[in-house]
Amino acid sequence: MCLQLTYVVKSGLVGFPLHQLNTKILPTLSATIPTPFPLVFSAPIVSFLSFIFSSPLSLPSSPPIFSPFPSSLPIRKKMATAFSPSKFAAQPFPLNTTSQNNPLTIPTIASPFLGSTRKLIRLCSSSNLNLRRRSGTVVAVSDVVKENKSKSTPNLLITKEEGLELYEDMVLGRAFEDMCAQMYYRGKMFGFVHLYNGQEAVSTGFIKLLKQQDSVVSTYRDHVHALSKGVSARAVMSELFGKTTGCCRGQGGSMHMFSREHNVLGGFAFIGEGIPVATGAAFTSKYKREVLKEVDCDHVTLAFFGDGTCNNGQFFECLNMAALWKLPIVFVVENNLWAIGMSHLRATSDPQIYKKGPAFGMPGVHVDGMDVLKVREVAKEAIGRARRGEGPTLVECETYRFRGHSLADPDELRDPAEKAHYAARDPITALKKYLTENNLTSEADLKAIDKKIDEVVEEAVEFADESPVPPRSQLLENVFADPKGFGIGPDGRYRCEDPKFTEGTAQV
Amino acid sequence: MGFRNIIGRRLGLGLVRRRKPFSTATCDGDGNGNAKSINLYSAINQALHIALETDNRAFVFGEDVSFGGVFRCTTGLADRFGKARVFNTPLCEQGIVGFGIGLAAMGNRAIAEIQFADYIYPAFDQIVNEAAKFRYRSGNQFNCGGLTIRAPYGAVGHGGHYHSQSPEAFFCHVPGIKVVIPRSPRQAKGLLLSCIRDPNPVVFFEPKWLYRLAVEEVPEHDYMLPLSEAEVIRQGSDITLVGWGAQLSVMEQACNEAEKDGISCELIDLKTLLPWDKETVEASVRKTGRVLISHEAPVTGGFGAEISASIVERCFLRLEAPVARVCGLDTPFPLVFEPFYMPTKNKILDAIKATVNY
């Protein structure tokens, strides 16, 4: 019976993701997937990998080594579970029949601005028809693999340009973070620095689909989100060094990357604090479109956060608000299984975070976050939903951080076997393999990109080194809107320029 | 280097010259019995071991406590007392403290850890509205006295906005809870044990800068230090300095420098901020006539304001100079500008001289 459900595109894209599987750990299985539940996609059906899950109660008390959903657990012989298309359905029927949830009854809301759910149901039912027509296209995995061998390039997920763009972005993220580590150990930057190695597929997969006016809200692990969104490597590196040319003029450091130009609404040191901010930003774009009638304002907001945050009250509050008001937001969970030293499985009653989406009335999607193409396909759909005004989506990306929580973390708690498992699924290597195997590009091109990125990062470091340190007066700026409110004394000069303001014992 | 010795020597001497005996101490804390030289996080670790040993309904919980915590304060507890008593919570401060209140209300000793004091704000509601008022509004039928909340606070040199804050002032405004801040390992162990056993909810702020830096001889046995008693850790006659936590070491250095200029400073460690020992400070101010308060939190609305107002109320005619406050600036805690923000030794020295020469 089904151990896993794989929805494959008719065009046989599945060749790529399958190669990524360590089949000993995650046995794939072929089955025709009956689809009694509707898919709301208007885009071609995409392929997702999903894991099966048994009831949380049967999880072992110590976390399994490789994946949250090890195949050694008793598999319930049920049909379409986990990742089924109904995750995108308006009616949040959880397909995992081991759960006790009842289908929600969706209340209707009268206000036209905040949307009526009646419309949504009707939309859903029309696409039901679409889906039933399409359900014939869902084929067994093994069939499609065979098909793939005879198909040619037009069935690939990306074009050469897109592929190179994704590759470049991921390599930039990786090279930048590695350089950060070097600089930290040389004492050029200080503070708490959290690196993103290993999770690049999520950032690239999602953010490369955004426009400049779309907003991104991140966590303390935000360097790569800022870079993917378009903030220059120089600005981010200078910010890390605490220089005036940094994106926040050196004020915040590693965990506080903001950019007005690229609509990066911040890194947030505090977990979960960014999610309500993202919700507010999404509301603004919906308001502008529907009330102020700026028709081309279809800006989407992405909120990135981790697995630990999903146990925090702010997360749930925002899921509720976003679903209630059908905000154009995508909640992206970067589930890297660890919150400093706390395993996600030991901290969460139901570790399958995407199931929390349907509980609030929005689709919940699980995707393999180490595979940029899969993430991109899911992101396309989720962002598309938000742009069309269909409301929020919760996307859980299963990913992994190759380094410790921060540069001060000795990273002793994680099983080396687990680390090795995910290191073998390095998103950059995977994409490289995909691009070369499908003849989208050559090794030489990719090496040229690597070299170019190395130069960019080195230049960023030089730039940051040579940039000036902010003047002391900057300390008192921007506390309030009016700088004279606090930082300026009665003689009109900044208080810190007053001769009585004594020099500190350290030079900055 | 000199800094460690200062803490070791000065505090030891201060204890010998104390004026009030320790009323609730099970020993005099003066090194009776074995005393080992350990740092702050080890002292706190010892205190927690003793607390869990002596009460089988005591629990330690918080984020990442089971492997030892990000500052190693809870190492060994989970192995020794089991996961039913020392356990990790999910990342929800509001939930952690509220849950602790419930445990305490049912008669357990709940020792909650908030990973950084900067993260205590989601729990602020539970602390202010529930913990502080539980006994009061239930007419003494229930109380959450068994609750102790431990949080590392204060600047650490590179913490930035969210790993360096000093929120003690917010909590000092809440009747119903106690706020305690130790200055050194020996104080920390005794005070923490007193807080845990105190029949009122306590917020215990630990100066994170001192976790590894402060090393002192700490007795290995169980001892408690009294709450709401300030300690004069350096005698003087020209000016009284009042502080708590890590700031005391900075003030100590300033006192040493001022001594070279002939100014004799009396240094008081408040230890408990709420309810604070007004008598000791008042007696000292009556002796010297001048007072200077220093803390890392921003000056406006900081706890120094309360001390200043109370002292002026009580000692107005005795004061020879306005009450000086050398505190952090009124900005969010900065990253690169930390040295300019902080109340450094030089700023304190300047203020001492200005006050004495008023």
Side-chain angles (χ1 to χ4, degrees):
Chain A
M1 209 19 203
C2 307
L3 274 183
Q4 265 180 354
L5 220 57
T6 311
Y7 284 93
V8 298
V9 182
K10 192 173 180 191
S11 49
L13 304 164
V14 88
F16 168 52
L18 277 186
H19 293 163
Q20 290 305 301
L21 281 180
N22 176 347
T23 51
K24 289 185 205 121
I25 308 304
L26 307 164
T28 52
L29 66 108
S30 57
T32 309
I33 297 118
T35 55
F37 302 94
L39 264 175
V40 184
F41 293 94
S42 50
I45 302 171
V46 296
S47 70
F48 303 106
L49 270 176
S50 78
F51 305 119
I52 215 164
F53 28 95
S54 48
S55 140
L57 291 173
S58 64
L59 283 173
S61 55
S62 60
I65 294 173
F66 302 111
S67 93
F69 315 110
S71 52
S72 55
L73 291 179
I75 307 298
R76 303 283 181 107
K77 295 196 182 284
K78 304 286 178 194
M79 43 174 225
T81 75
F83 208 79
S84 83
S86 86
K87 292 293 180 276
F88 278 86
Q91 259 123 3
F93 293 131
L95 287 192
N96 179 6
T97 49
T98 59
S99 81
Q100 313 299 323
N101 299 340
N102 293 316
L104 287 183
T105 48
I106 300 179
T108 54
I109 305 168
S111 151
F113 164 50
L114 294 178
S116 162
T117 51
R118 276 207 211 106
K119 256 201 258 173
L120 192 60
I121 293 168
R122 249 184 278 132
L123 186 69
C124 170
S125 51
S126 65
S127 40
N128 271 358
L129 298 171
N130 272 344
L131 278 260
R132 292 218 180 87
R133 257 185 278 124
R134 287 223 186 95
S135 61
T137 61
V138 174
V139 296
V141 163
S142 53
D143 291 345
V144 173
V145 170
K146 283 182 220 140
E147 234 186 303
N148 188 36
K149 298 213 167 99
S150 55
K151 296 274 179 175
S152 56
T153 43
N155 300 311
L156 292 174
L157 280 166
I158 46 173
T159 62
K160 175 178 178 179
E161 290 73 32
E162 287 172 355
L164 291 177
E165 186 195 357
L166 296 179
Y167 182 78
E168 184 171 337
D169 193 53
M170 291 210 286
V171 171
L172 175 62
R174 181 69 61 90
F176 189 90
E177 297 294 66
D178 287 338
M179 183 61 79
C180 278
Q182 267 193 52
M183 292 296 116
Y184 185 86
Y185 292 127
R186 282 194 213 166
K188 298 256 186 84
M189 68 173 85
F190 47 91
F192 296 96
V193 180
H194 307 82
L195 298 183
Y196 201 72
N197 294 51
Q199 299 181 198
E200 294 89 2
V202 179
S203 171
T204 302
F206 269 93
I207 300 182
K208 281 302 171 197
L209 291 170
L210 295 180
K211 305 189 294 210
Q212 175 132 2
Q213 301 92 337
D214 293 327
S215 307
V216 166
V217 163
S218 180
T219 57
Y220 44 76
R221 214 178 288 282
D222 58 349
H223 307 164
V224 180
H225 292 137
L227 290 172
S228 292
K229 193 67 176 54
V231 182
S232 70
R234 292 171 146 201
V236 180
M237 192 59 87
S238 303
E239 179 65 27
L240 290 169
F241 283 30
K243 304 287 174 89
T244 1
T245 43
C247 47
C248 301
R249 303 183 311 157
Q251 200 78 359
S254 166
M255 294 182 271
H256 309 279
M257 296 291 165
F258 284 80
S259 166
R260 158 70 71 182
E261 190 195 333
H262 298 279
N263 286 300
V264 177
L265 287 175
F268 285 80
F270 210 124
I271 54 153
E273 297 266 286
I275 312 176
V277 174
T279 311
F283 185 94
T284 311
S285 87
K286 182 176 169 118
Y287 184 85
K288 277 189 188 167
R289 183 184 195 168
E290 300 191 9
V291 176
L292 300 180
K293 305 285 183 220
E294 292 174 24
V295 269
D296 53 350
C297 180
D298 58 354
H299 308 326
V300 167
T301 309
L302 295 189
F304 291 91
F305 47 94
D307 44 286
T309 310
C310 297
N311 294 325
N312 199 291
Q314 289 178 100
F315 167 65
F316 298 110
E317 290 173 7
C318 294
L319 283 186
N320 181 46
M321 287 195 282
L324 186 64
W325 297 327
K326 277 175 59 195
L327 300 181
I329 182 172
V330 183
F331 296 101
V332 184
V333 183
E334 293 169 323
N335 181 356
N336 58 19
L337 303 177
W338 290 90
I340 305 188
M342 238 150 50
S343 159
H344 172 60
L345 303 163
R346 282 189 287 232
T348 316
S349 59
D350 185 350
Q352 287 139 14
I353 300 173
Y354 70 89
K355 277 159 64 178
K356 298 181 183 175
F360 284 90
M362 71 178 80
V365 183
H366 178 283
V367 66
D368 175 6
M370 301 305 273
D371 178 341
V372 65
L373 298 178
K374 286 183 212 153
V375 172
R376 191 180 158 89
E377 290 304 311
V378 171
K380 265 192 206 159
E381 181 52 32
I383 292 174
R385 253 178 66 84
R387 276 205 215 287
R388 292 187 300 269
E390 291 166 22
T393 316
L394 175 68
V395 181
E396 178 186 355
C397 303
E398 188 202 336
T399 179
Y400 203 74
R401 52 172 162 84
F402 294 159
R403 291 184 183 260
H405 166 74
S406 70
L407 287 173
D409 175 13
D411 197 18
E412 295 158 341
L413 292 168
R414 301 191 296 175
D415 189 351
E418 182 188 68
K419 294 189 214 181
H421 168 64
Y422 282 99
R425 294 167 61 193
D426 186 335
I428 295 179
T429 338
L431 182 64
K432 200 169 183 174
K433 192 164 175 201
Y434 181 83
L435 291 173
T436 45
E437 280 182 358
N438 290 292
N439 294 322
L440 280 172
T441 179
S442 64
E443 283 269 354
D445 281 348
L446 297 178
K447 283 216 164 34
I449 292 182
D450 288 341
K451 190 156 177 305
K452 172 178 154 204
I453 294 295
D454 282 337
E455 281 167 21
V456 164
V457 173
E458 291 211 10
E459 197 264 324
V461 172
E462 276 169 25
F463 176 78
D465 263 336
E466 288 158 17
S467 299
V469 174
R472 255 192 287 161
S473 52
Q474 194 178 295
L475 169 58
L476 300 175
E477 283 172 21
N478 295 323
V479 177
F480 285 124
D482 174 13
K484 289 189 189 293
F486 246 147
I488 298 194
D491 56 354
R493 291 161 54 206
Y494 277 115
R495 287 214 170 91
C496 68
E497 287 164 23
D498 188 329
K500 290 209 192 119
F501 185 94
T502 319
E503 182 94 31
T505 51
Q507 288 296 323
V508 167
Chain B
M1 172 206 44
F3 170 37
R4 276 195 205 173
N5 291 339
I6 286 170
I7 289 215
R9 259 188 293 120
R10 281 293 168 199
L11 299 178
L13 286 173
L15 278 171
V16 167
R17 287 199 217 128
R18 68 186 184 274
R19 282 173 283 184
K20 288 187 222 171
F22 291 128
S23 46
T24 56
T26 55
C27 87
D28 56 8
D30 247 341
N32 242 8
N34 291 330
K36 279 219 184 94
S37 199
I38 55 174
N39 59 22
L40 186 67
Y41 75 75
S42 305
I44 289 174
N45 190 241
Q46 278 187 18
L48 291 173
H49 273 274
I50 292 173
L52 290 178
E53 210 171 83
T54 49
D55 182 348
N56 66 0
R57 285 179 73 186
F59 303 89
V60 172
F61 52 94
E63 294 166 14
D64 295 302
V65 299
S66 60
F67 77 79
V70 288
F71 293 110
R72 305 276 185 263
C73 292
T74 49
T75 34
L77 291 175
D79 293 331
R80 189 168 162 203
F81 298 102
K83 290 201 192 295
R85 294 178 67 191
V86 179
F87 52 92
N88 283 347
T89 55
L91 308 184
C92 45
E93 284 74 20
Q94 185 176 18
I96 292 170
V97 171
F99 166 82
I101 293 173
L103 279 179
M106 300 310 280
N108 304 298
R109 280 196 212 284
I111 306 166
E113 173 176 311
I114 299 288
Q115 198 161 73
F116 282 90
D118 315 53
Y119 306 157
I120 206 170
Y121 303 113
F124 191 72
D125 172 46
Q126 281 285 343
I127 297 172
V128 170
N129 278 329
E130 302 309 329
K133 303 175 168 62
F134 219 73
R135 191 192 290 268
Y136 192 83
R137 64 193 186 95
S138 70
N140 206 14
Q141 291 182 76
F142 286 95
N143 69 79
C144 55
L147 176 66
T148 304
I149 299 164
R150 293 179 35 242
Y153 89 104
V156 71
H158 52 268
H161 303 311
Y162 296 113
H163 294 80
S164 324
Q165 292 177 37
S166 305
E168 70 268 3
F170 297 114
F171 296 96
C172 292
H173 190 55
V174 185
I177 57 170
K178 294 195 175 181
V179 179
V180 178
I181 304 184
R183 67 171 184 270
S184 75
R186 191 196 312 218
Q187 296 291 315
K189 181 175 171 182
L191 286 173
L192 182 56
L193 283 168
S194 298
C195 291
I196 292 171
R197 293 166 180 165
D198 189 273
N200 296 297
V202 182
V203 182
F204 187 79
F205 286 116
E206 302 161 2
K208 65 170 88 69
W209 201 324
L210 301 183
Y211 273 139
R212 285 172 205 267
L213 279 184
V215 177
E216 201 182 15
E217 299 266 324
V218 177
E220 287 190 347
H221 56 80
D222 185 351
Y223 67 96
M224 288 168 38
L225 295 175
L227 297 185
S228 294
E229 281 186 23
E231 186 181 336
V232 180
I233 57 181
R234 183 192 176 111
Q235 295 279 355
S237 54
D238 291 330
I239 180 171
T240 301
L241 273 70
V242 181
W244 52 86
Q247 189 64 9
L248 283 171
S249 58
V250 179
M251 292 162 89
E252 183 94 46
Q253 292 172 30
C255 289
N256 289 341
E257 295 237 351
E259 189 132 346
K260 294 179 197 158
D261 289 331
I263 304 175
S264 159
C265 305
E266 176 143 310
L267 185 55
I268 299 183
D269 176 13
L270 269 194
K271 297 207 283 195
T272 304
L273 267 63
L274 184 71
W276 63 286
D277 184 357
K278 297 183 183 163
E279 284 72 29
T280 307
V281 180
E282 187 188 340
S284 173
V285 175
R286 288 206 178 281
K287 186 170 82 163
T288 62
R290 294 175 185 83
V291 63
L292 181 148
I293 306 155
S294 183
H295 55 74
E296 286 173 17
V299 60
T300 301
F303 194 60
E306 154 67 22
I307 300 175
S308 173
S310 292
I311 292 299
V312 167
E313 262 172 16
R314 292 169 171 237
C315 315
F316 179 69
L317 290 175
R318 176 67 186 93
L319 283 173
E320 314 256 333
V323 176
R325 289 182 294 164
V326 182
C327 308
L329 301 177
D330 285 326
T331 71
F333 199 99
L335 177 63
V336 284
F337 299 111
E338 187 171 324
F340 303 126
Y341 167 94
M342 293 287 281
T344 53
K345 173 193 79 162
N346 286 342
K347 288 188 198 173
I348 298 175
L349 197 52
D350 269 2
I352 291 176
K353 290 182 187 163
T355 311
V356 167
N357 297 327
Y358 187 74

